[in-house]
Amino acid sequence: MKLMKRMTAVLAGCAIAIGMTACGANNTAIVAANENTKITMGAYAYIMAQAYSSASNLVPDTTVSILSQEIDGKSTAEWMKESAIENMKAMFVVDEKAKELGVYLTDEERKNIDDQMDSVWNTSQDSIKELISFGVTKDGAKQFYLEFNTKYTKIFQTMYGEDGVKAVSFDEKKAYYIENYTDFAYLQKSVSGLSDEDKAVAKEAMDGYAAAINDQSKTLEQVSEEYKTAENLTSDPLVASTANLSDSQSYSAEVISALEEMSAGEARVLDLSSGSSYMLVVKKDINAVVDEKLADEANAFQVLVEMKGDEYISDMAVQAENYTNYTLYEDVIAQFDPAVFEQTDSSSSETASVASNTAMQTEENTNSDVVVSGGDAPDTETTNSGDNTTVSES
């Protein structure tokens, strides 16, 4: 699972903290609170680790101590603190919005969260010890890593889903799907290592398949079966795909450009720029599959995220920025020393390298469906990965 891989990398990256502690800070002390939510030092240490990772990408010189430099005219430590406070405000907003909308974690979701956290936390005992040396607690990481993401997603579903205050109708999603998605299929013939003569034979065969489809003397399925027999294949060589090509990293610009030019039902042979293969691609009618695709809950939600994810993240970020209904315990925050993230005798390059691996970013939520996740920078990214959709503020 991606979640496990990400967390394992984080734990491995904590090795620089061997022998260090969070300067004696009480990791159960309350750092900030409102009537709905309490944030402990153990959670604060986690979001400070995220802030340190972000800082490592913003300082002018990665060859020296991150904390010895400035970001936006502020000391790195002060910048990190402000970033952490913004994250805490985002948590307050999420919890308050969930209460307002009647969004709660189910017993099953809580169990799933606990199970995932148990699995992640026990990945590597040595790494866990080092993570703890930062002052991060299991409950603190869970609060900002899994609980936050699950609630953030459920709020989005509630607001933009059926009967939500900003509900998007099926007709709106359907129109978006038809406008932005492409349904196609392809056969790909590798010619790497072949002689020019053999490449020419392969190209002629692919051109013949395309011609047969275009003059409608053969169907795509018939061509696929012929290709399978000719190539002595044991499995179906035809690859079908329905994708938002403007947001896809799975296909080359060459393939995307051809599909944008093609008409429904058209077949075309592409000589891929690498010269290593020929692709017979057939563009299909998106109107013929849109209802079926949107009947799938995961597909429908992916489209909803593409349509409204940026808007939602922006709105929630503004609410967090302007949020004031909380108490910040400065005396408790002052007990956390960011120097815990750096070893005085380590090389600067090592420090910077580890920093880039510190922040935990969520790519899978607790129910293995979708996740809308929050982080400490306002950049927005929408990722398509099969049936899973991630809208992240990372």
Side-chain angles (χ1 to χ4, degrees):
M1 295 172 65
K2 293 179 182 177
L3 174 64
M4 286 290 292
K5 292 178 180 177
R6 284 295 181 96
M7 183 68 94
T8 300
V10 169
L11 299 181
C14 292
I16 60 165
I18 294 175
M20 300 183 70
T21 66
C23 302
N26 178 3
N27 59 20
T28 62
I30 304 302
V31 171
N34 68 1
E35 63 178 356
N36 300 309
T37 306
K38 291 182 175 62
I39 298 173
T40 66
M41 179 62 79
Y44 181 75
Y46 165 65
I47 52 180
M48 281 293 279
Q50 286 187 311
Y52 182 78
S53 177
S54 296
S56 71
N57 295 316
L58 297 174
V59 293
D61 189 351
T62 59
T63 66
V64 299
S65 164
I66 303 301
L67 295 173
S68 69
Q69 302 178 66
E70 291 188 349
I71 300 174
D72 296 335
K74 306 167 188 173
S75 71
T76 298
E78 184 62 26
W79 183 91
M80 288 169 57
K81 176 185 172 183
E82 291 182 5
S83 178
I85 290 173
E86 288 302 309
N87 271 279
M88 292 191 289
K89 288 164 66 176
M91 175 62 77
F92 290 136
V93 166
V94 163
D95 284 349
E96 199 165 280
K97 181 66 71 172
K99 184 177 181 181
E100 174 191 328
L101 297 175
V103 172
Y104 301 100
L105 299 182
T106 65
D107 290 342
E108 182 179 359
E109 285 169 336
R110 290 192 179 280
K111 182 180 184 304
N112 203 358
I113 287 172
D114 288 340
D115 288 347
Q116 286 197 50
M117 201 65 205
D118 286 343
S119 178
V120 169
W121 203 253
N122 295 320
T123 300
S124 169
Q125 190 60 41
D126 288 342
S127 295
I128 291 296
K129 290 177 181 177
E130 275 116 38
L131 185 61
I132 292 171
S133 75
F134 286 151
V136 177
T137 60
K138 180 179 180 181
D139 285 342
K142 180 174 72 173
Q143 180 182 22
F144 276 88
Y145 185 48
L146 294 176
E147 290 180 352
F148 179 93
N149 289 324
T150 306
K151 293 174 186 176
Y152 201 82
T153 300
K154 292 190 74 171
I155 291 169
F156 177 80
Q157 290 172 311
T158 301
M159 290 178 63
Y160 291 92
E162 186 177 356
D163 299 324
V165 293
K166 295 185 176 182
V168 178
S169 70
F170 176 82
D171 286 344
E172 288 175 299
K173 286 183 281 191
K174 182 173 180 177
Y176 176 90
Y177 200 88
I178 291 171
E179 176 69 22
N180 292 278
Y181 277 72
T182 302
D183 190 39
F184 61 102
Y186 62 90
L187 300 170
Q188 193 160 354
K189 165 69 175 177
S190 174
V191 292
S192 178
L194 296 184
S195 66
D196 290 343
E197 183 179 353
D198 288 339
K199 286 183 179 181
V201 171
K203 179 66 162 54
E204 183 180 2
M206 296 295 268
D207 286 340
Y209 294 140
I213 293 172
N214 287 329
D215 67 18
Q216 299 183 9
S217 61
K218 293 178 182 176
T219 66
L220 173 61
E221 289 70 27
Q222 288 173 326
V223 164
S224 177
E225 192 62 33
E226 283 188 23
Y227 179 82
K228 178 181 176 181
T229 300
E231 297 293 324
N232 295 315
L233 303 176
T234 57
S235 59
D236 186 358
L238 188 65
V239 179
S241 179
T242 305
N244 183 344
L245 297 178
S246 66
D247 193 44
S248 175
Q249 299 177 355
S250 300
Y251 302 99
S252 68
E254 194 174 5
V255 174
I256 293 172
S257 178
L259 284 166
E260 289 175 344
E261 295 172 359
M262 294 166 65
S263 303
E266 181 182 348
R268 187 179 294 187
V269 177
L270 306 180
D271 184 352
L272 298 186
S273 57
S274 63
S276 61
S277 66
Y278 296 123
M279 175 183 284
L280 169 64
V281 61
V282 180
K283 186 171 184 177
K284 304 169 82 173
D285 183 3
I286 192 66
N287 293 278
V289 298
V290 60
D291 288 340
E292 176 189 350
K293 294 294 184 180
L294 290 179
D296 182 276
E297 187 175 336
N299 288 339
F301 189 74
Q302 177 168 305
V303 169
L304 187 61
V305 168
E306 290 179 17
M307 294 176 70
K308 297 297 181 179
D310 287 356
E311 174 184 296
Y312 174 65
I313 288 173
S314 178
D315 287 349
M316 293 292 277
V318 169
Q319 291 180 53
E321 182 180 354
N322 297 323
Y323 190 77
T324 59
N325 188 29
Y326 70 101
T327 301
L328 192 67
Y329 298 99
E330 292 280 4
D331 56 331
V332 179
I333 286 180
Q335 298 173 31
F336 187 89
D337 186 352
V340 72
F341 301 121
E342 293 186 349
Q343 244 182 345
T344 56
D345 59 348
S346 65
S347 68
S348 298
S349 60
E350 180 180 341
T351 300
S353 175
V354 173
S356 67
N357 294 320
T358 303
M360 292 187 255
Q361 300 298 331
T362 305
E363 287 195 359
E364 290 183 74
N365 75 333
T366 54
N367 61 16
S368 299
D369 256 337
V370 293
V371 58
V372 185
S373 65
D376 43 74
D379 299 331
T380 301
E381 177 178 291
T382 305
T383 305
N384 296 331
S385 52
D387 289 334
N388 295 338
T389 301
T390 303
V391 174
S392 62
E393 186 183 20
S394 58

